[in-house]
Amino acid sequence: MGNQYTDRILTRAKLSPGQTFATLLLDGEWVRVSYGELVTNARRYAYLYRTSGLAPDDVVLLILRHSIDMYAAFLGTLLAGGVPSFLPYPNRKHDHSLYWTQHQKLFHRVRPRLIVAYDELAESVAGCARGSGATTIRDSDVKDVPAISDIVARSNDDAALLQHSSGTTGLKKGVALSYGAIVRQIESYASALSLDSTTAVIGSWLPLYHDMGLITSFLLPMYTGVPVISIDPFEWVGEPKLLLEAIETHHVTHIWLPNFAFLHLVRAVSPRARYRLGSIKALINCSEPCKPAVFDSFLRRYAGQGVTAENLQTCYAMAETVFAVTQSKPGQAPRRVPVDRFSIERIGPMAQEADTGNVVEFLSNGLPIEGCEIAILVGERLVGEGYLGEICVRGNFLFQGYYRNPEATAAAFHDGWYRSGDLGFVNARELFVAGRIKDVIIINGKNVFAHDIEASLAGVQGIKGGRAVAIGVYDEKMGSEQLVVIAESNETSRPEHAIIGEINRAVLLETGVSCAAVHIVSPGWLIKTTSGKVSRYDNHKKYLGTLTSAGP
């Protein structure tokens, strides 16, 4: 007796081995992979794991590049009874010292039985994992092994995988998810999207070591039978037009993107380039607060090429619920709500009507999907509409807890509700996200959102696009946090004081708060997370370190 998830994959591979699982862009060529190929390769990995000593419930960490092996190694872990987890591989834009330090801590906390890495990285991984009890194997080792015919039976209640956070707030936490939770999430979310496996095609550049990519661009399409068109994340960042070309070539219908990716497609693609994008049904914005101005900018750029306001959708998602919590209604533009700015400056009751001279516009993240509930936590009280507070979630696909971290698991719940760490409010049953609690800078009792400050700097001449971070630094004399902005610049024709002055004006206009300090730094100074976003946590630490090293 197996579980519903892997049973479905194996049945499809047996009955329709030639059905397309994915089409990968590899070395400039599109390579088609069938379910028969996928499962055969997965069975080879399962054999390799078994002969390497893997037992049921053992964790297998996967550090692999964009390839068929990436998918097969994961599925092979499931077939062998293990618990897989993707981790990022280092690239030239990462702080390599930080990468290995974080992963050494993770290896020793998780204590995986196996770590699978590509050949060039395997020796470094083995050195980093020394003392954790893990055995490191190379992806090339699978080439000469047979494919097992039998698999380890796992029930719907068993742990299927670990999903690790991006590490924006320190050591990554493993989110343990059961087979049953994954199936319930996928079936509920596919229903909310009206996803039709006979007509839908998913396009993606998303890395599989984050929940957005893992679920929407791997586990969901593999379970539902929707083909996925997949591009290497690092290739896409350098050449974003690849995604637009994929839409044209493969008639993609659904794509999930974080907020910054919409802007990247606007800014980094030639304004003269034109694409046929009429196949798109949903471009879904999730993982960050969804900004109305971002949708407006994207629509201005691509409206004449087949994209409509109704195609631009929103979602609120997190690894702890497998993925989606809410989703806007397909075929309808997400609702926009004007909110009095004062209402989001303090947790608690919100103004019933917005002052037209002091309005912030919010974009709806949609209604909860079936099987999920949301509430707002204010102090110790769970409330409904009309309050700004912490978003709390419960449902039948909630995670089992943080792996080997009972303290973090206990702290994450309030009376059975998962505390998201996000601020938001509910209006007409729809969820609106204001931002991360940890990304709120509280200046003399007033909430200022770091992402709003960073977004306001987009038009400042001399700052590298997306290379600015807002942090709060506590000032003992003031008894409050003070706002500090750090921005990268390689501008040589404009004096630094002019750039600083424009930053100060932009921030004051956006928030009504003045910067305590603005620091212009050289390109490459800011630390990024594995997802390519600027890490407020690590840059806050780095900035405080510069103050310490500078002395009194």
Side-chain angles (χ1 to χ4, degrees):
M1 182 71 176
N3 64 80
Q4 193 174 344
Y5 189 88
T6 53
D7 284 353
R8 177 176 288 209
I9 310 309
L10 295 175
T11 299
R12 183 177 295 120
K14 181 179 179 179
L15 299 179
S16 305
Q19 181 178 338
T20 298
F21 158 65
T23 304
L24 312 182
L25 185 60
L26 301 173
D27 298 323
E29 300 290 333
W30 289 106
V31 178
R32 177 182 168 276
V33 180
S34 69
Y35 275 91
E37 292 173 278
L38 171 67
V39 171
T40 297
N41 279 295
R43 289 182 181 276
R44 290 195 178 100
Y45 270 101
Y47 177 90
L48 181 62
Y49 298 150
R50 181 176 295 176
T51 56
S52 298
L54 186 74
D57 285 321
D58 282 348
V59 173
V60 179
L61 298 180
L62 307 171
I63 309 177
L64 297 169
R65 288 172 168 158
H66 184 69
S67 63
I68 178 59
D69 286 280
M70 180 175 64
Y71 301 95
F74 186 98
L75 180 57
T77 308
L78 301 183
L79 300 184
V83 179
S85 181
F86 281 117
L87 295 179
Y89 61 85
N91 69 86
R92 60 185 179 84
K93 292 187 177 182
H94 285 159
D95 181 321
H96 280 225
S97 175
L98 180 64
Y99 175 90
W100 289 114
T101 298
Q102 288 182 332
H103 282 74
Q104 185 178 47
K105 292 178 181 177
L106 187 147
F107 294 158
H108 283 75
R109 169 180 283 179
V110 173
R111 296 198 170 275
R113 180 67 187 86
L114 301 173
I115 305 175
V116 185
Y118 54 91
D119 285 18
E120 302 94 317
L121 194 68
E123 187 175 339
S124 296
V125 168
C128 183
R130 191 171 291 116
S132 69
T135 298
T136 301
I137 58 179
R138 302 167 185 262
D139 62 347
S140 60
D141 293 340
V142 78
K143 294 177 182 177
D144 300 320
V145 302
I148 62 169
S149 57
D150 60 319
I151 66 170
V152 176
R154 304 285 283 164
S155 75
N156 286 332
D157 294 330
D158 286 328
L161 61 88
L162 289 182
Q163 171 59 47
H164 286 91
S165 66
S166 63
T168 55
T169 56
L171 183 60
K172 303 176 186 184
K173 292 180 290 189
V175 176
L177 299 170
S178 71
Y179 284 98
I182 293 169
V183 168
R184 290 189 291 272
Q185 160 72 205
I186 289 174
E187 291 184 344
S188 177
Y189 193 38
S191 175
L193 291 169
S194 301
L195 202 64
D196 185 343
S197 62
T198 64
T199 58
V201 178
I202 291 170
S204 178
W205 59 269
L206 297 167
L208 300 187
Y209 47 80
H210 292 303
D211 58 307
M212 194 191 310
L214 177 66
I215 303 304
T216 71
S217 307
F218 182 18
L219 299 188
L220 182 149
M222 185 165 62
Y223 182 80
T224 60
V226 175
V228 60
I229 312 301
S230 182
I231 302 167
D232 184 287
F234 298 109
E235 284 190 39
W236 176 80
V237 170
E239 201 170 358
K241 69 175 184 177
L242 290 173
L243 187 62
L244 304 173
E245 292 171 351
I247 296 172
E248 279 193 327
T249 303
H250 300 282
H251 308 293
V252 170
T253 60
H254 292 75
I255 294 175
W256 283 260
L257 298 169
N259 203 65
F260 85 89
F262 283 86
L263 291 177
H264 191 52
L265 286 165
V266 171
R267 295 168 177 166
V269 176
S270 169
R272 296 182 296 276
R274 307 278 297 177
Y275 300 92
R276 295 185 298 275
L277 308 178
S279 63
I280 284 292
K281 292 183 178 179
L283 286 158
I284 304 172
N285 188 338
C286 49
S287 95
E288 300 172 19
C290 303
K291 300 291 187 181
V294 170
F295 274 7
D296 293 341
S297 179
F298 191 88
L299 197 57
R300 283 194 299 270
R301 173 64 179 84
Y302 295 107
Q305 298 162 62
V307 177
T308 68
E310 290 73 26
N311 297 148
L312 302 182
Q313 295 287 303
T314 56
C315 172
Y316 178 59
M318 61 185 70
E320 287 82 358
T321 57
V322 183
F323 186 63
V325 174
T326 66
Q327 171 65 44
S328 59
K329 188 172 179 59
Q332 295 181 13
R335 192 162 59 96
R336 301 184 180 202
V337 170
V339 174
D340 190 282
R341 186 182 295 275
F342 179 78
S343 289
I344 61 168
E345 291 180 355
R346 289 173 175 79
I347 291 174
M350 300 177 66
Q352 296 299 308
E353 295 183 5
D355 179 348
T356 56
N358 194 25
V359 164
V360 179
E361 190 174 52
F362 280 88
L363 195 61
S364 168
N365 287 79
L367 294 167
I369 67 172
E370 186 177 354
C372 196
E373 297 177 83
I374 55 174
I376 303 299
L377 182 65
V378 175
E380 294 298 312
R381 190 164 63 100
L382 288 165
V383 297
E385 300 199 11
Y387 290 84
L388 177 76
E390 184 175 5
I391 300 167
C392 292
V393 182
R394 68 179 179 186
N396 63 13
F397 35 74
L398 202 59
F399 74 136
Q400 296 179 327
Y402 294 114
Y403 189 70
R404 291 187 172 174
N405 197 338
E407 296 83 5
T409 300
F413 287 88
H414 176 87
D415 291 339
W417 291 78
Y418 172 68
R419 300 181 61 166
S420 70
D422 292 325
L423 282 176
F425 61 93
V426 176
N427 180 288
R429 298 178 53 240
E430 296 179 355
L431 179 66
F432 294 77
V433 181
R436 291 288 299 170
I437 289 176
K438 291 180 180 178
D439 293 337
V440 172
I441 303 167
I442 304 175
I443 303 174
N444 298 324
K446 177 179 179 179
N447 293 336
V448 177
F449 292 92
H451 57 80
D452 284 340
I453 295 167
E454 292 156 8
S456 74
L457 304 180
V460 174
Q461 182 184 346
I463 295 180
K464 292 192 66 179
R467 295 294 185 273
V469 64
I471 59 176
V473 177
Y474 187 76
D475 186 317
E476 291 188 7
K477 293 181 180 179
M478 300 294 294
S480 175
E481 287 187 309
Q482 299 298 297
L483 174 60
V484 174
V485 171
I486 308 167
E488 290 185 357
S489 174
N490 55 5
E491 182 67 52
T492 57
S493 61
R494 194 177 188 210
E496 185 174 295
H497 68 81
I499 299 174
I500 292 175
E502 190 170 346
I503 289 173
N504 275 312
R505 286 190 292 274
V507 172
L508 186 62
L509 183 64
E510 172 66 26
T511 66
V513 170
S514 298
C515 297
V518 175
H519 295 275
I520 305 298
V521 296
S522 58
W525 191 96
L526 291 173
I527 299 170
K528 298 168 69 178
T529 71
T530 54
S531 61
K533 296 184 289 186
V534 172
S535 169
R536 297 190 187 100
Y537 175 83
D538 289 315
N539 286 299
H540 190 276
K541 285 178 61 179
K542 185 174 182 178
Y543 175 75
L544 293 180
T546 65
L547 296 181
T548 302
S549 62

